Structures are given as C-alpha cells and as structure tokens.
Amino acid sequence: MRGLAAVVLAAPIAALALVAGAPAASAHDSAVASGGAATVAAQHGVTPPLGWSSWSFIRHDPSATNIEAQADAMKSSGLAKAGFQYVNVDDFWYQCPGSQGPNVDSYGRWVTDPTKFAPSGATDGIKVTADYVHSDGLKFGLYVTPGISKQAVAQNTAIEGTSYHADDIATTANENNYNCKGMVGIDYTKPGAQEFINSWADEFASWGVDYIKIDGVGVNDIPDIQAWSTALKQTGRPIHLELSNNLAIGSASTWQQLSDGWRTGGDIECYSCESGGSSFPLTSWSSISSRFNQVASWQPYGGPDGFNDYDSLEIGNGSGDGLTLDERKTQMSLWSLAASPLILGTDLTNLDPTDLSLLKNTEVLKVDQDAIDASRIANSATQQVFAKKEPNGQVIVGLFNTGTAPAVVSTTASAIGLSASGGYLVNDLWSHKITESGATIAADVPSHGVALLRITPSKLTFLTPPSTTLAIGGLSSAIAGQPVTATETFTNNGVQPVQLARLGLTAPSGWTVTPTSATSFGSVAVGKSVQATFRVVAPAPATLFQVDALTGTANYQWYLLVPQKVSVSANVTTGSPVSAPYRTYSSATDAPASFAQGGQQFGISGAGADLFSGTDGYSTTYLSGAVGNTATLQTEVVSQQNLTGYGKAGIIVRNDMTASGTGPEGVILFESPSGGIQLEWDNNGGTHINAVTPPNGTIPDRVPVWLKLIRNGSVYTGYYSTDGASWSLVGTADVPAQAATQDAGMFVTSHATGAPAQAVFNSFTVDATAQGPGPISYEAESSANTLGGGAKVSNCTACSGGQKVGFIGNGGTVTFNNVTVPAAGDYQVTIAYLDGSTPPRQVMVSADGGTPQTLTDTTTADFNTLGTETVTLPLVAGSNTIEFANPAAFGPDIDRITVAPAGA
C-alpha cells in the first residue's frame, strides 16, 4: 500500500516542482537556463555580473599564464555555461618600481609589466591576454586607481591629443594606491584633465577591456569617478564600471549615477589567517557574517541600474575557502538575496566538486539575477531573515542561523510580504525539497547555515507533504557521568495533519540515552507541536573538550501512508568536571558556557559580547580569595578555537568574580587575535574595564603564550613570554578600589554574541609574593620604540616576533624606549642580532644618552640566523632608553634585547 501511495503521489509532486520553482519568465532566465554567456552579457547594467577576480587567490602574481588558465577552467568546468563570464585581473599587472608610482608611457598611463604579460610584437601583453579570454567566449576585466602617477608628473608626460601635460592637471594630494603607492590627484577643473582619463579609457577599450575596477575610492574621488564614467561612455565600448572599496553610504546616489556597482565594505579575505605564503584560507566566517548589516543598510540603493557589491564569493576550493559547507551556502544565499555581483575569488583550476555544484545551482543563481535587493525582516544575536518579492508574487526568503548550534528559524507569511492564502508551496533551493506550509514559514537550519526558500501562494498544498521542524534543547554541553535532560520538539507547520509521529535520539558508543516521556503520537495537528524528553549521560571524554554529535529524529506519516522523516544533529561538548578549590562562573549569558579540567590543564568555552566599557561578559575558572596585596599569577594559554577579532583569553583578577556589572572591576591580562597581548583595567573604581595598554596590535598575538601578572598593592604589572623563561613587559597600571583579598582565574570572552570560543590553559599558579618576572625581553620592532634615519622593520622567520629592525647605521638608529628596572645599577643586556657580513659588523650601544660602547659581533652566516652578545649597561630605576647606532657604517640587524635581573 505504501509503495502504491508513493507512485500515485509522485507525479503531482513532480508537477509542483515546476510551480514552486519557476519565477516569472524573463530574457535573462533563458540565458541562465541555456548557459549562454553572450546572452547574459547583453544584459549589461540590468543584472549583477558573474565572474572571477585574481585578487583573493593569485593576489600579487597575476600573469598571462595563470589568468588564461583560470579562463579555460571557467569554460571547461561549466561555470561559463551557468552564466559566469568575467575574468578580471586585479592589482599588480603593471610595472611598479617603488613608491615613486607606477611606470608610465609617453602619455602618462600605466605600463604593463612585460614579465607577467608578454607582448606579441607591437601588441600589448594585456591585450594579448584579453584576446585569449575573449576566445573562450568570456569577458576581460582590469584594475586601476584614481589619480595620475607621480612618475607622469616628474616626466611631465604629454596628454594624448592635446597640448597639455601631466604637470598641468596634477595636484600634490596623495591618492590611494594600496600596494604600489605613488599616485597623486587630478584637478578636473584644468584643461586636459578629462582628456587624460579619456586617453586611458580609450587604451583600455582598444585592449578589449570589458570591466574596470577603480580601487581606493573615497568621497574626495567623486570627480575621478565622474571623469571615468564619462570617459568609458565615450569609448563606444560597453565597459562595466565597479568601484572599490568601503564606499560611503551617504554618497550612494552618486555611486548609482556614475557606476555599475560599488563595494560596500572592506576586503573579505582573511589576511591574518594565511600562512606560509599561501592565500589559503581565503576568508573566514566573521568576514561573511559582517555582511548581514551591510546588506540591510545598503538595500535601498541596489537594483538594475547598479549593484551593491559585497566582495568576492569565496566558494570553489573546499576547505581552502576558509568556510564550512554550510557557511559557503550562507555566503552564496546572502549575496544572491542581495543581488550582489558574484565574482569568484577561488582557484578555478582546482575546483572542489561539491563547491562547483553550489556555484552551478541555477535556482540560486536566478535569485541573484532578478536584480532585486532583499530587505531584512528579522535581526537577532543568532538569527537573520531576509526576503524579497518577485513580480509574480513569489517571495524568496533566507532563514539564517548565525549561532553555534542548530536551530529552528522562522518567520511569517505576512512578515515577508506574501499575499494571504490558504497555504503556500515551499521550495528549498539547496535541498530541492518541496513542502507546503501555513502562515508560519520555518526550517531546521544548521549552525552558520541557511534555508533559502522560494515560496508560492497555492491552492494545491494537498499534493505535497507539510513542512515540519525538529528542535533539540538542553544538549549544548555535558559533564561526564552527570545526567542531562534533552527535549525534542516536533512541529507541524503545514496545513495538513501528520500521523504516527515517533521521536528518537541516538548517540555515539559509550553514551546512554533513555526516554523519560512518551515518544509516539497518533497525530500532530496543523500548527501544533509535540515533545519528548530523554535522560542523556556522557562517557568520560578522551580529550579536555570532546565534541560528539547526537541526532534527533522524527518519523511520521503523511496521509497515513507516505513515510516522512526529519532529523537534526546537535554537537555536545563534554568535559571532565572542574575540581575544588577551583570554581567556575559565567556572566556571558548569550550562550551556554562549558568548563573542563584534566590534571593541571583547564578548558573554558564561553561567549560574551565583550569585556570592556559597558559590557562585562566572560567565563572563568578561578580561585576564590587567592590574591593578597602582593601576588604573582601565571598561566600558559596553550591553544584557542573560534576566538576571533577582539576576543580575549588570559588572566582575570577582581574583588568578587561573580559580581559582574555590579561590583568593582579589576584587571585582565590576555591575548587577543586583533588586540594582541594587552593589559586592561578599571581606572576609576567602577564596574567596567575602561583602560588598556598597549594600543591594539602593538604586541602581536601569539599562541601558545605564557602570561604573568604581578600585584604590588594597587599596582599591577603584566608580562608575556614565548618560552616561559624570558619575559617581555606588557604594561603597568595603578588600579583603584582593589580589595586586600581578591579572586583570580583564567577567562575567555569571545567578543561574538552567541558564539562561544574555547581556550585551553596549562597550569594556573598564584604566589603570595610580588616576584620579579626574571629576564625581560623587548622586541626591536615594537611600536613603542623609535626608529631614526633609514632604520626599518622587516620580516624575519628566525626572529622571536617574526620581525626585526635593519638598516641600523649610516644614520639609521633604533632606540628601545621604556626599558624598566626596579632599581638603579648595572644590568646584563643580551642582544639578539643577525649579521651575514664578513668581516662582522659593529654597532654602538648606549643607555639613556650616555657614553656608547662599540660592540663587534660574530657573523651569523646570513641575515636570517640569530646570534647573541651580552653587554653591561648602567640603568636608572624606572624607565630607560637603549640606543643602537653606527655613524660610519651599517651595523647588524636587531631582533630583541633581554635585560637580566640585577645581580644575575
């Protein structure tokens, strides 16, 4: 009987797929369906461009070889057939000898780098590559920045077709060219200014350029954009004009008038995530989630006359994208709802098959190509809802879960603009499953995931199963051996009842799951829910924090005959309990906190919007009353996960650890991905931290890192170490309203509401004396130091901070400031240097402007190998300066100095 029912219903459901999935017909729909790139291209200025850009993956090294390879891959992969057409070369295509600006031709225009784009006879290398791209049936894009090169001004190059020259139109104001530098402004009131841009646009048109990206655009560059807009039109060639980046929303109407698209924010790439010279991972979840507010704010300004551009679509290289599969669907869904250009940043020559299937999903591409910007319907800490209405009455809605656990995300038909109806057909554009729904539109959405739905008012809802959801509560974390209660809630959102519902919960081996309520239900009426509860006990974890997936299921019948099933998984973090005398506390109520202990290793998982100014959200494992008037606290931050931006992990001291927001705040010493290593405190006896040293990014973040906080009365001094032996000063603070006895512990705040971060700490010790930190190191490249003459910071893989100071000597100097010692005396100062010269170099070192000592080092064979030399210097109590110089010749490069305690 079940088989018969399935056969009988198959044909109507298949027919409904056409009804629920088909938007109003348009010329562009035909182009996407047939894949004709030429047809899509004919819609210039009507639909958002689809294509690829070199910046994210190729970055600094575009060449004819790798650009042509990407074009070939766009064609052979089927992306061109799906509608992707532009192949865009970003920065670094032109010759850049230095900060004097790009090399120029006799008319002041940038010169193609022939080592990257070789000419063919008299044909410019960019045109050669553009012709190749065109031979693949694709279009070619190029990059430029506002203004004119300083080299054109210095050479006073002619302006083509006029009697004017570069010096006649140039100003002295610097223009943005982020990498090469060396661009200055143009005074467009001067004769020849527009003609100069016309000549440049004509050159680009003669090369076959179809897309121009102007980077570094600000409000002051509106005359440039006006000139380029005019210049491109006068070429007679259809050329898409895109503006970048972080355009001012207050000038949105101007960008609409003058261009075809505009970047609404900064770069989507995660530059700090990259390592080893690779551009992978290309982006991060925080870069994607930051676009929700941009899409909402810019919604009124996008449309067929110009498009809000949310930057590259980083989908195509699997884990190299930097996103989970659900996060990739979220990015493509949000960009499509926003009718953003879809310009891929990935390596098309190494496409991940799953990613390729996402990119070729024609139902999702149609959402983008309708050129309608979605409006934000709901905005919370963990959920976003965006929707837009099609001319035929259908509504596209994105139900986004920005939280860290699966969740049911819902809205209503009226809220998203659907006309009143007895029911609606719901087509999930990613799963391709069609259901029916009543007034509540809901879906089970994974963490950082999306349900992208096309919804159609319909009288044929009886031909498709009801939309249902299943939620699991109470399972975010567990302590080994301690029972927790899980609650499953099954909801029927359709306009038809379902029958014979059975709820279940499965867990990995070693777990025990026991139902504590009824799990079977004869029917679930329209718009109703049923619940079941389960007693769940986790086994001892194999690691400090162990994450296991538990799966809830609801099996039920439609029309008493057709079996249906919905399931959802919940990740449960298990830890071993924290034992006395340690206590745990969390003021970060935006997400559940978890704590674990394994011997002297501690784990904390917690969220929290921040721990600064008016926000006091943190999770801590601490010792009550452990700190007196003098104390030394130390721990090691071994690792962290999901700690991004200004999230923090480290040591916290306050009078009462549980008096968040009510009692006097204290002191924190921490590492932070964006802030670096810092000391923060409350400087007025209030209830929130409000002071920080040093400024953000002064001491780069690193993990693992040892942290040491010393209290001496009201004065707290923080140090950090990369090896647990030699220490560097973070800062000192005089903190009022601190009790004679205080609580102290380890803490985490994620700086991401609703999204916990995890940190693992190795040991936490408190000594009752204010011990000296031992040897203290000072990095040469620290922004607290003073560089003079030609001395400059450069990268150094062997150096402790990843950088060093070179070009010391011949006028170049480096002065270490704020070298602090407790008492006057002679101190042993060890210098870590690099010297690849033969014979070895000399450097003169002096303290506080005193008589310099001349040191001759021992060669280290090259300038990426460290050597050390120790010198005795007289230092005064408190702050000192130590200078390195050589007036007659270059000295060695300096990595750091280490000052030993007095008498060492």
Side-chain angles (χ1 to χ4, degrees):
M1 189 66 175
R2 289 181 180 177
L4 176 61
V7 171
V8 169
L9 289 168
I13 292 173
L16 282 174
L18 300 177
V19 176
S26 70
H28 182 68
D29 290 338
S30 299
V32 172
S34 65
T39 308
V40 177
Q43 303 296 312
H44 173 76
V46 177
T47 59
L50 309 181
W52 173 88
S53 167
S54 64
W55 181 252
S56 293
F57 171 65
I58 291 178
R59 197 69 55 83
H60 301 149
D61 301 303
S63 67
T65 300
N66 56 34
I67 298 301
E68 291 169 8
Q70 297 293 324
D72 289 344
M74 182 178 285
K75 181 178 180 180
S76 63
S77 66
L79 286 172
K81 188 175 181 181
F84 289 83
Q85 57 178 326
Y86 289 98
V87 175
N88 297 338
V89 178
D90 207 273
D91 204 356
F92 291 96
W93 62 267
Y94 51 90
Q95 288 183 327
C96 176
S99 60
Q100 64 266 45
N103 282 348
V104 296
D105 66 10
S106 60
Y107 296 123
R109 304 167 302 199
W110 293 356
V111 173
T112 301
D113 187 340
T115 66
K116 295 179 176 180
F117 297 91
S120 177
T123 303
D124 189 273
I126 287 292
K127 178 170 172 52
V128 173
T129 299
D131 288 346
Y132 186 95
V133 171
H134 292 151
S135 74
D136 273 337
L138 303 170
K139 293 188 174 293
F140 180 79
L142 204 58
Y143 171 101
V144 72
T145 61
I148 185 169
S149 174
K150 289 181 179 178
Q151 290 211 64
V153 180
Q155 299 169 30
N156 201 22
T157 53
I159 296 173
E160 186 178 27
T162 76
S163 60
Y164 302 107
H165 294 77
D167 197 42
D168 296 324
I169 66 171
T171 73
T172 57
N174 288 324
E175 282 284 5
N176 281 328
N177 183 301
Y178 297 120
N179 296 298
C180 187
K181 314 295 184 186
M183 296 290 287
V184 293
I186 295 174
D187 183 349
Y188 286 97
T189 67
K190 297 293 183 66
Q194 182 64 56
E195 288 78 5
F196 170 69
I197 301 299
N198 288 352
S199 77
W200 210 349
D202 288 341
E203 180 181 57
F204 286 162
S206 73
W207 289 349
V209 173
D210 307 294
Y211 180 114
I212 291 291
K213 170 184 171 180
I214 306 182
D215 203 4
V217 175
V219 173
N220 292 337
D221 297 308
I222 288 175
D224 285 87
I225 306 310
Q226 174 69 70
W228 274 100
S229 181
T230 299
L232 293 176
K233 290 174 184 174
Q234 62 88 41
T235 68
R237 181 181 182 85
I239 300 177
H240 179 101
L241 178 58
E242 194 79 8
L243 309 181
S244 179
N245 62 29
N246 216 2
L247 274 291
I249 196 169
S251 299
S253 60
T254 301
W255 314 134
Q256 283 179 312
Q257 178 185 355
L258 299 179
S259 69
D260 300 304
W262 43 87
R263 283 269 305 279
T264 63
D267 289 356
I268 201 163
E269 291 80 9
C270 184
Y271 299 122
S272 63
C273 301
E274 302 166 6
S275 62
S278 170
S279 52
F280 292 131
L282 298 175
T283 190
S284 66
W285 168 246
S286 61
S287 294
I288 305 305
S289 60
S290 69
R291 263 57 179 183
F292 285 108
N293 287 340
Q294 289 182 32
V295 171
S297 298
W298 283 84
Q299 181 273 333
Y301 306 108
D305 294 328
F307 303 100
N308 297 317
D309 184 346
Y310 299 104
D311 205 6
S312 297
L313 192 65
E314 306 293 14
I315 300 173
N317 298 139
S319 61
D321 301 337
L323 304 171
T324 67
L325 178 58
D326 289 318
E327 290 167 350
R328 286 169 244 166
K329 291 179 182 178
T330 286
Q331 188 191 11
M332 190 164 175
S333 298
L334 182 62
W335 268 233
S336 297
L337 282 160
S340 172
L342 303 182
I343 305 298
L344 301 173
T346 41
D347 178 10
L348 304 186
T349 67
N350 188 30
L351 286 167
D352 173 82
T354 300
D355 280 9
L356 182 59
S357 70
L358 301 184
L359 297 173
K360 292 164 68 174
N361 186 322
T362 57
E363 291 301 312
V364 177
L365 291 175
K366 287 176 184 177
V367 174
D368 178 74
Q369 296 290 288
D370 64 14
I372 300 171
D373 283 52
S375 298
R376 180 152 64 184
I377 307 302
N379 175 25
S380 75
T382 58
Q383 297 187 359
Q384 298 278 324
V385 178
F386 284 80
K388 58 182 173 181
K389 192 169 186 177
E390 303 286 317
N392 64 357
Q394 293 180 335
V395 168
I396 314 297
V397 62
L399 305 176
F400 296 92
N401 174 13
T402 59
T404 57
V408 174
V409 184
S410 66
T411 186
T412 64
S414 61
I416 61 176
L418 281 163
S419 59
S421 175
Y424 304 91
L425 296 179
V426 180
N427 183 2
D428 187 317
L429 302 185
W430 287 117
S431 71
H432 307 294
K433 180 180 180 181
I434 298 176
T435 56
E436 58 84 0
S437 183
T440 297
I441 309 298
D444 293 312
V445 185
S447 169
H448 296 180
V450 63
L452 184 62
L453 311 174
R454 184 183 290 274
I455 305 173
T456 309
S458 178
K459 297 179 180 179
L460 303 178
T461 53
F462 62 91
L463 293 176
T464 192
S467 167
T468 61
T469 56
L470 181 66
I472 305 177
L475 274 185
S476 61
S477 62
I479 299 297
Q482 299 181 12
V484 295
T485 297
T487 302
E488 284 189 9
T489 303
F490 173 69
T491 302
N492 177 11
N493 300 302
V495 296
Q496 308 167 74
V498 300
Q499 300 83 31
L500 305 179
R502 291 174 290 111
L503 307 189
L505 181 65
T506 59
S509 176
W511 290 69
T512 60
V513 178
T514 308
T516 55
S517 72
T519 59
S520 297
F521 306 89
S523 68
V524 182
V526 172
K528 299 299 182 181
S529 300
V530 293
Q531 285 188 337
T533 57
F534 301 84
R535 181 180 185 271
V536 179
V537 181
T543 58
L544 194 63
F545 275 134
Q546 180 171 316
V547 179
D548 292 301
L550 276 67
T551 302
T553 57
N555 291 276
Y556 57 98
Q557 302 288 316
W558 173 45
Y559 285 138
L560 278 173
L561 296 173
V562 183
Q564 301 288 309
K565 181 179 180 179
V566 61
S567 64
V568 63
S569 292
N571 287 329
V572 184
T573 301
T574 305
S576 296
V578 174
S579 57
Y582 291 97
R583 302 180 181 182
T584 62
Y585 169 75
S586 180
S587 62
T589 57
D590 50 311
S594 302
F595 306 91
Q597 181 181 359
Q600 289 303 305
Q601 199 166 73
F602 300 87
I604 302 174
S605 176
D610 201 359
L611 180 50
F612 194 81
S613 187
T615 307
D616 201 28
Y618 57 92
S619 301
T620 177
T621 297
Y622 70 99
L623 293 170
S624 177
V627 172
N629 262 319
T630 59
T632 300
L633 302 84
Q634 182 174 324
T635 191
E636 177 191 5
V637 184
V638 177
S639 63
Q640 32 107 317
Q641 288 183 302
N642 303 320
L643 192 71
T644 59
Y646 291 97
K648 305 166 186 177
I651 295 172
I652 182 170
V653 177
R654 59 183 299 163
N655 295 350
D656 181 353
M657 198 66 75
T658 65
S660 171
T662 59
E665 188 57 272
V667 182
I668 55 176
L669 174 66
F670 58 87
E671 59 86 15
S672 167
S674 294
I677 300 174
Q678 296 176 292
L679 182 75
E680 292 182 347
W681 67 97
D682 168 37
N683 67 9
N684 59 13
T687 57
H688 293 88
I689 284 174
N690 60 2
V692 59
T693 190
N696 291 331
T698 302
I699 305 175
D701 186 35
R702 62 201 72 196
V703 174
V705 63
W706 283 260
L707 301 174
K708 181 177 288 191
L709 182 64
I710 299 175
R711 180 185 185 185
N712 197 340
S714 63
V715 177
Y716 295 75
T717 305
Y719 301 89
Y720 77 95
S721 172
T722 58
D723 58 9
S726 61
W727 296 85
S728 299
L729 178 69
V730 177
T732 297
D734 195 333
V735 188
Q738 300 304 292
T741 301
Q742 295 183 291
D743 299 344
M746 304 150 282
F747 82 98
V748 167
T749 183
S750 71
H751 199 266
T753 301
Q758 297 79 38
V760 174
F761 301 86
N762 189 36
S763 181
F764 180 75
T765 61
V766 180
D767 189 278
T769 60
Q771 300 174 355
I776 301 177
S777 294
Y778 300 84
E779 295 290 338
E781 70 274 10
S782 170
S783 60
N785 296 337
T786 302
L787 302 186
K792 65 179 184 179
V793 175
S794 61
N795 293 331
C796 169
T797 56
C799 297
S800 56
Q803 292 181 311
K804 63 180 179 179
V805 172
F807 294 94
I808 299 168
N810 282 332
T813 62
V814 57
T815 302
F816 289 78
N817 298 316
N818 301 319
V819 178
T820 305
V821 295
D826 290 337
Y827 287 81
Q828 297 294 301
V829 178
T830 300
I831 304 158
Y833 68 90
L834 307 94
D835 184 359
S837 300
T838 302
R841 298 180 175 185
Q842 292 183 327
V843 68
M844 302 174 72
V845 57
S846 61
D848 300 315
T851 302
Q853 300 181 44
T854 300
L855 305 178
T856 302
D857 60 53
T858 302
T859 184
T860 60
D862 59 53
F863 283 92
N864 200 42
T865 300
L866 285 169
T868 60
E869 186 169 3
T870 301
V871 60
T872 301
L873 293 176
L875 302 178
V876 301
S879 181
N880 297 261
T881 61
I882 297 177
E883 181 187 75
F884 292 83
N886 185 334
F890 281 119
D893 296 349
I894 304 295
D895 172 26
R896 68 186 185 278
I897 62 173
T898 301
V899 181

